[in-house]
Amino acid sequence: MIHPDRSGEPTALAAGNGPELKRTDRSRLEFFQILGWSWDITTAKKLTQGRAPERLIVTEWWAAMLNLVAIDAEHAARVDLTEPLIAATVPTGGILIIDGWHRLCKAVTIGLPELHAVVLTAEEERACRICGGEAPVAEEDMAGSA
């Protein structure tokens, strides 16, 4: 289990070995969670690294959803708006921004009408999904048995 200690440094818990042990690296899993769904953003960033954005996100259409996401205003003020958002094609239809909510907040705040986004394919979304939804159902299983 990885979590930040009081100093903000990642630590690792050694199962059954008592106190927390400092990790030698500073890596950690970055994830996004909304309701019962969560995605591994570290993996999503690896999958999309170097990919050209293929979609424009209209900031005002997404602005109301900022109320559902924890935003650190100081961090939002410092983000790079040239970095594309990452959106996931979700099984229920449509897309959901899974990385870039602080960029969206900054864009809305300064009146920027659009942001670029990279959209994960259904397969990439499933590879990044930690929990939520169900595993894809085979077409023959959807018809049921007679």
Side-chain angles (χ1 to χ4, degrees), residues 10-127:
T11 60
L13 291 177
N17 293 340
E20 295 178 357
L21 305 172
K22 288 281 188 185
R23 289 175 52 98
T24 55
D25 66 358
R26 295 179 185 258
S27 65
R28 64 182 174 89
L29 174 68
E30 185 179 355
F31 69 97
F32 172 68
Q33 181 173 349
I34 189 164
L35 303 172
W37 297 71
S38 60
W39 290 269
D40 174 348
I41 302 307
T42 304
T43 298
K45 286 181 176 181
K46 287 177 185 174
L47 289 170
T48 60
Q49 186 174 7
R51 189 185 303 177
E54 64 261 15
R55 186 159 189 155
L56 285 175
I57 298 293
V58 178
T59 58
E60 72 179 65
W61 294 353
W62 290 87
M65 287 198 58
L66 286 166
N67 294 321
L68 301 175
V69 180
I71 299 292
D72 176 343
E74 289 179 18
H75 176 65
R78 295 187 309 266
V79 295
D80 177 4
L81 293 179
T82 64
E83 181 182 347
L85 309 177
I86 299 176
T89 303
V90 292
T92 55
I95 65 165
L96 176 66
I97 297 168
I98 64 167
D99 180 59
W101 287 97
H102 286 87
R103 282 169 269 155
L104 178 69
C105 180
K106 181 176 181 177
V108 167
T109 301
I110 67 172
L112 189 64
E114 297 173 325
L115 288 172
H116 290 279
V118 174
V119 181
L120 298 172
T121 65
E123 294 79 22
E124 290 170 332
E125 181 277 329
R126 188 62 193 115

